[in-house]
């Protein structure tokens, strides 16, 4: 089916578009004026380990790309996305419906700070988070803008995410997965230990092998013992990528 025919089959609002996820025939509705997912969300779904039959929660799901991708990449039983912005949550629900995932992917509109009260303690086997990277004072211009909310800790903080995750994860085997910026790694690991989510795996993402990492992937285990593995880094581009002639 042609792209134009697919777009005619979905109810797109002004400014929205239908993007091919290049996986299992799935598509996602996005609005470039608000916020579109990036490679960090894709990397997180590759890094996260979801076992057959597990229940997964994605905190701050945006337009739902992480639960949709995880539903294709893993054999988890059910995936929930929690999103505070109604417009983004609505796009995520329509994307799940378009991909016929209504029984497997649920999108909930709500506040991360109230997640444990909403879902109940020890409700999930796995939690994923691709949170705002920047502290709220870093370059803040318009606090109500959707892109600003996605990038800055305006509506939730790292502390909120880890506090609620500690409550929501099942004891002993609940796992937490997050992608963030390396400059906040000490803070992240300290707070994870504070909330008894023991860091177990760390993987740095470099744009080039000779450049500093720009992202870090982290796995934590609820109530785990103190032992962390640093995995081989991900290098996004090689030298040949820079010198390769452009396609015609």
């Amino acid at each position: 089916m042609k792209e134009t025919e697919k777009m005619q089959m979905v109810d797109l609002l002004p400014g929205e578009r239908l993007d091919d996820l290049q996986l299992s025939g799935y598509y996602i509705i996005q609005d470039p004026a608000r916020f579109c997912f990036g490679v960090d969300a894709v990397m997180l779904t590759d890094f996260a380990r979801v076992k057959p039959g597990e229940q997964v929660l994605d905190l701050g799901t945006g337009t739902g790309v992480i639960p949709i991708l995880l539903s294709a990449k893993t054999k988890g039983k059910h995936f929930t996305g929690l999103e505070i912005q109604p417009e983004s949550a609505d796009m995520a629900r329509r994307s799940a419906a378009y991909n016929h995932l209504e029984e497997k992917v649920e999108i909930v509109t709500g506040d991360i700070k109230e997640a444990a009260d909403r879902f109940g303690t020890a409700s999930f086997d796995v939690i994923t988070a691709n949170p705002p990277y920047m502290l709220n004072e870093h370059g803040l211009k318009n606090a109500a803008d959707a892109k600003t909310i996605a990038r800055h800790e305006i509506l939730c903080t790292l502390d909120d995410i880890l506090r609620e995750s500690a409550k929501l994860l099942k004891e002993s085997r609940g796992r937490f997965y997050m992608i963030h910026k390396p400059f906040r790694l000490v803070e992240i690991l300290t707070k994870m230990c504070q909330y008894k989510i023991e860091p177990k795996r760390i993987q740095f993402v470099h744009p080039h092998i000779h450049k500093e990492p720009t992202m870090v992937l982290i796995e934590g285990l609820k109530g785990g013992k103190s032992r962390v593995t640093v995995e081989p880094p991900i290098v996004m581009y090689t030298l040949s990528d820079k010198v390769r002639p452009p396609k015609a």
Side-chain angles (χ1 to χ4, degrees):
M1 184 179 296
K2 294 181 179 180
E3 191 74 17
T4 53
E5 293 175 336
K6 284 184 173 291
M7 292 182 69
Q8 291 172 357
M9 292 175 60
V10 63
D11 185 20
L12 295 178
L13 300 179
E16 293 180 349
R17 70 189 190 197
L18 189 65
D19 293 335
D20 189 349
L21 290 175
Q22 303 290 319
L23 183 67
S24 300
Y26 289 162
Y27 283 73
I28 190 168
I29 300 169
Q30 301 194 102
D31 182 351
R34 294 185 58 81
F35 190 79
C36 293
F37 78 89
V39 68
D40 47 358
V42 179
M43 286 185 172
L44 182 59
T45 60
D46 288 337
F47 182 77
R49 295 172 177 172
V50 179
K51 300 175 184 178
E54 290 190 323
Q55 302 274 350
V56 182
L57 172 65
D58 182 44
L59 295 175
T61 198
T63 54
V65 64
I66 289 175
I68 290 174
L69 288 177
L70 285 176
S71 73
K73 294 180 179 182
T74 76
K75 294 184 178 180
K77 181 179 181 179
H78 191 267
F79 303 85
T80 302
L82 179 64
E83 173 57 41
I84 195 171
Q85 298 187 76
E87 296 84 0
S88 296
D90 177 63
M91 281 189 277
R93 284 190 200 95
R94 286 185 283 129
S95 292
Y98 181 80
N99 293 305
H100 306 292
L101 292 170
E102 301 98 317
E103 299 299 317
K104 199 171 184 180
V105 175
E106 178 186 11
I107 305 300
V108 176
T109 305
D111 193 336
I112 287 174
K113 296 189 290 293
E114 301 168 356
D117 291 335
R118 185 175 196 117
F119 297 111
T121 58
S123 300
F124 295 95
D125 302 286
V126 173
I127 290 177
T128 57
N130 181 14
Y133 296 148
M134 308 304 293
L135 296 169
N136 59 11
E137 68 268 19
H138 286 177
L140 190 58
K141 293 181 179 180
N142 183 359
D145 178 72
K147 291 183 178 180
T148 304
I149 291 171
R151 293 167 176 159
H152 296 256
E153 290 187 346
I154 296 171
L155 300 183
C156 76
T157 64
L158 178 62
D159 196 78
D160 294 329
I161 291 169
L162 291 171
R163 182 192 66 247
E164 295 302 298
S165 294
K167 298 175 184 177
L168 290 161
L169 285 171
K170 294 180 179 179
E171 294 293 336
S172 301
R173 58 189 175 90
R175 300 181 306 287
F176 175 80
Y177 297 94
M178 181 168 64
I179 188 165
H180 217 294
K181 289 293 186 182
F183 77 89
R184 296 189 66 182
L185 183 57
V186 172
E187 176 192 3
I188 291 167
L189 298 181
T190 300
K191 287 186 178 294
M192 286 178 68
C193 293
Q194 175 186 335
Y195 287 108
K196 296 181 171 53
I197 302 175
E198 189 65 32
K200 303 302 291 183
R201 283 195 300 142
I202 295 174
Q203 188 172 33
F204 292 98
V205 181
H206 300 249
H208 298 278
I209 192 62
H210 61 285
K211 296 288 186 180
E212 291 186 5
T214 54
M215 292 179 283
V216 60
L217 292 150
I218 306 163
E219 176 191 58
L221 178 64
K222 175 73 178 291
K225 295 182 180 179
S226 179
R227 182 178 177 86
V228 63
T229 299
V230 179
E231 297 195 344
I234 296 172
V235 180
M236 296 178 64
Y237 306 106
T238 64
L239 183 60
S240 61
D241 292 324
K242 297 181 66 176
V243 299
R244 187 178 298 150
K247 292 182 180 180

